[in-house]
Amino acid sequence: MSDNHSSKAILYAFSANLAIALTKTAAAVWTGSGSLVAEAVHSFADCGNQVLLFIGMKRAAKQPTARHPMGYGRESYIWSMMVAITLFSVGGMFSIYEGLERLHDNHAVENAEIAIGILLAAVVMEALSLKGALGAMRGEQGSRSLWRWFRETYSSELMVVIGEDLAALLGLVVAAAMLGLTLLTGNAIYDAIGSMLIGALLILVALAVGYEVHALLLGEADREIRDAVTDYLSQQPVVVQVFNVWAINHGNDVMLAVKVELLPDLTVSQAVSLSNSLEKNIKAAQPRVKWVFFELDNAD
């Protein structure tokens, strides 16, 4: 996915979440709803998260230096991990705390009908934000399911935005349902439970995002590129055997390390020329491959 698509997805989500956060805050003050307080905090946390993602994306685009010859592509993963931690602490833990407080105090909810209407409007805005993020994801997703894409993507910024939007949309549904039960029964305990459920949902999303970003930070392999390169090399007449192919994600780029055995009767000059030709073809077929390191050997 291009940086341009990433920027659009982040800015679109930020604009939508800021409008939603202000709307929820006004509704929370008006109604005294714990679920709405939790949702307002969640939306403001999302706004802050999108600022962090944008900073990470810009820092990841810095040019390589002598100290960092492969550039700063993985820095986007660090900022995405910060977002996962923020989502856990600010969003999830606060929402659970708010729910427990209201469960203990049994605070009355006022104007619940208006609050539900506001939540339904927020659902529409959040759905539009999610639609924009999913649209930016289409080109990278291909034929994969959303869950498989989430497990395999290298685009940590888009992964976080989609995770946040899904959590926000589900959280809004939970808040509306709990406020509806409060309105029907007159018992504010459902509103408090709603706040805690929203917090638990945010924590689950934060853990899932954090787990995937952690794998990227450690240097996760791109299995699709690895398998495609392995198949390509195995089909070349000059390649006797493919011992190893590593395709490691480095932000939007991939570092490729290849260990192969070529025909034994080649001269050094011929082997070098063939290696360069194979590298050129690999880069042409796999645009994300930025670095290729060939090792010629006759054993693994």
Side-chain angles (χ1 to χ4, degrees):
M1 187 191 65
S2 67
D3 287 345
N4 185 45
H5 287 165
S6 296
S7 299
K8 286 182 178 179
I10 293 172
L11 290 174
Y12 194 90
F14 176 82
S15 300
N17 280 315
L18 182 59
I20 293 170
L22 294 174
T23 302
K24 290 176 182 176
T25 299
V29 172
W30 189 11
T31 64
S33 165
S35 293
L36 276 174
V37 170
E39 277 297 309
V41 171
H42 174 198
S43 292
F44 277 118
D46 282 352
C47 291
N49 289 343
Q50 275 122 37
V51 171
L52 293 178
L53 291 175
F54 190 78
I55 293 172
M57 188 183 69
K58 292 305 179 183
R59 289 183 61 85
K62 291 192 301 181
Q63 294 300 309
T65 63
R67 188 172 183 181
H68 299 280
M70 296 182 70
Y72 294 82
R74 288 194 191 184
E75 186 158 352
S76 61
Y77 302 156
I78 297 173
W79 290 82
S80 296
M81 180 62 78
M82 291 171 61
V83 168
I85 294 171
T86 303
L87 191 64
F88 173 84
S89 58
V90 177
M93 296 303 291
F94 180 84
S95 297
I96 291 177
Y97 171 79
E98 181 69 18
L100 290 172
E101 283 290 307
R102 291 179 180 272
L103 189 65
H104 181 264
D105 294 339
N106 198 23
H107 184 80
V109 177
E110 302 173 356
N111 302 310
E113 301 93 336
I114 302 298
I116 292 175
I118 292 172
L119 283 174
L120 293 177
V123 166
V124 174
M125 289 186 284
E126 200 66 67
L128 290 174
S129 177
L130 178 59
K131 181 181 178 182
L134 291 174
M137 178 198 71
R138 295 297 183 209
E140 183 190 325
Q141 182 186 12
S143 60
R144 292 177 292 181
S145 66
L146 180 60
W147 176 244
R148 185 182 170 194
W149 170 85
F150 181 82
R151 293 300 310 274
E152 297 179 355
T153 182
Y154 59 89
S155 303
S156 60
E157 304 98 337
L158 192 53
M159 177 205 306
V160 172
V161 170
I162 289 177
E164 285 181 342
D165 284 350
L166 282 172
L169 197 56
L170 290 173
L172 286 167
V173 172
V174 170
M178 292 299 104
L179 275 175
L181 286 174
T182 299
L183 181 63
L184 288 173
T185 64
N187 191 342
I189 190 174
Y190 293 107
D191 181 57
I193 293 173
S195 180
M196 289 185 287
L197 288 175
I198 292 168
L201 174 64
L202 294 179
I203 290 173
L204 286 175
V205 171
L207 290 175
V209 170
Y211 180 84
E212 294 302 325
V213 175
H214 176 259
L216 290 169
L217 274 169
L218 293 178
E220 187 175 49
D222 189 302
R223 289 178 287 181
E224 185 175 348
I225 291 179
R226 179 199 62 196
D227 293 344
V229 171
T230 301
D231 289 342
Y232 166 73
L233 292 173
S234 299
Q235 295 170 12
Q236 302 310 302
V238 296
V239 176
V240 176
Q241 187 173 356
V242 179
F243 293 115
N244 216 332
V245 175
W246 288 0
I248 307 300
N249 283 305
H250 194 80
N252 289 328
D253 301 317
V254 167
M255 185 278 292
L256 190 68
V258 177
K259 187 175 184 180
V260 298
E261 179 183 1
L262 298 183
L263 293 173
D265 55 349
L266 296 174
T267 66
V268 173
S269 177
Q270 288 173 326
V272 170
S273 178
L274 285 169
S275 298
N276 290 336
S277 178
L278 292 173
E279 177 180 341
K280 181 180 179 180
N281 292 339
I282 288 171
K283 286 185 174 180
Q286 304 292 338
R288 288 188 59 225
V289 175
K290 188 172 183 178
W291 309 274
V292 180
F293 302 98
F294 260 95
E295 180 182 354
L296 305 182
D297 210 331
N298 59 5
D300 190 3

